[in-house]
Amino acid sequence: MNTEKIAARRLSLEEVTQLGVKDRIFVSADTAELKLSNCYVPAFLTKPGEDFEGGSVTAKTIFQEEVSCLPDDENECGVYLADENGSETIEVLQSAGVVLDLALFVPGGDKGALTALYAAARQAFGADVVQIWRQGLQEVPDVKVDIFEEQVSRGRKGTDSPKRDRRALDTYPTRVEFIDFSAGWKPTMELHKPLVDDTPTI
């Protein structure tokens, strides 16, 4: 297990409420996923501290797990901030690396192009480091599509056409599966039609 000891200080709830979502903090690694006691992980608040109500705060770790904690509860591990003059030393779990889940579009991609891509990655990070966990190859047509989110019909017939909001323009295959659509809206794809301005000019 790769860990690092750092000087830190425990924050009170009042200090936590002054933090923003970009402030790096440390929370207990004894979570549902990790289950590591006496160890901490880097995290960020899920919303500005000033927006919290009550004594419980929620943070999201760099390992994408949400945790709730009570900074003022002495029986809990609390929330820490790195501080060279801090009175405590905590053990922080380090990241082993990053697993990339990418959708790569390789124009005119063939086996030679993919081999070159993997070779470049291995040269940058080491042949023993870069591993291909899952590879799905799919030929795609060269078309452009508009992606809309469209209000889900409430079941009434004869109503006006559904409202829509354009979310993206993309080359197929689209990013539609990666877009977060609003509640009550559904994705719709159409072939891209360039906007033509017929306004007469002088």
Side-chain angles (χ1 to χ4, degrees):
M1 189 168 72
N2 185 18
T3 62
E4 178 188 9
K5 293 185 184 297
I6 68 166
R9 64 183 175 87
R10 181 168 177 153
L11 300 178
S12 65
L13 178 59
E14 184 179 347
E15 289 176 304
V16 172
T17 58
Q18 296 171 9
L19 297 177
V21 294
K22 293 185 178 179
D23 291 310
R24 187 180 173 100
I25 56 177
F26 299 96
V27 297
S28 175
D30 193 11
T31 63
E33 186 73 25
L34 294 170
K35 301 187 185 304
L36 298 172
S37 57
N38 300 320
C39 189
Y40 290 80
V41 292
F44 301 89
L45 295 178
T46 56
K47 56 184 177 179
E50 60 187 14
D51 293 344
F52 283 108
E53 298 177 1
S56 177
V57 296
T58 305
K60 191 170 189 176
T61 74
I62 61 170
F63 305 117
Q64 305 306 308
E65 184 173 17
E66 283 196 3
V67 294
S68 294
C69 49
L70 297 165
D72 282 343
D73 190 338
E74 293 183 1
N75 297 319
E76 286 206 6
C77 296
V79 176
Y80 283 83
L81 192 68
D83 185 349
E84 291 181 359
N85 302 316
S87 58
E88 297 184 51
T89 300
I90 61 174
E91 195 162 7
V92 178
L93 182 66
Q94 299 297 297
S95 170
V98 176
V99 175
L100 297 178
D101 189 2
L102 298 176
L104 289 177
F105 173 60
V106 182
D110 54 18
K111 189 174 181 181
L114 294 175
T115 301
L117 182 66
Y118 299 144
R122 290 192 171 104
Q123 185 175 359
F125 301 105
D128 295 332
V129 176
V130 177
Q131 300 177 39
I132 303 164
W133 294 99
R134 183 181 60 186
Q135 176 178 277
L137 302 181
Q138 180 183 349
E139 291 287 338
V140 295
D142 184 13
V143 296
K144 287 185 177 178
V145 295
D146 291 311
I147 304 173
F148 297 90
E149 63 175 2
E150 196 172 85
Q151 269 189 333
V152 177
S153 172
R154 298 294 180 190
R156 291 188 222 163
K157 293 184 178 178
T159 57
D160 295 332
S161 57
K163 295 179 182 176
R164 54 172 44 186
D165 177 27
R166 181 158 133 168
R167 297 300 303 271
L169 163 66
D170 206 352
T171 300
Y172 191 89
T174 72
R175 293 181 302 247
V176 69
E177 61 184 295
F178 303 109
I179 294 177
D180 240 346
F181 286 91
S182 312
W185 295 70
K186 64 180 180 181
T188 302
M189 290 186 296
E190 293 178 0
L191 286 177
H192 176 60
K193 296 178 182 176
L195 295 175
V196 179
D197 187 356
D198 293 329
T199 305
T201 57
I202 298 174

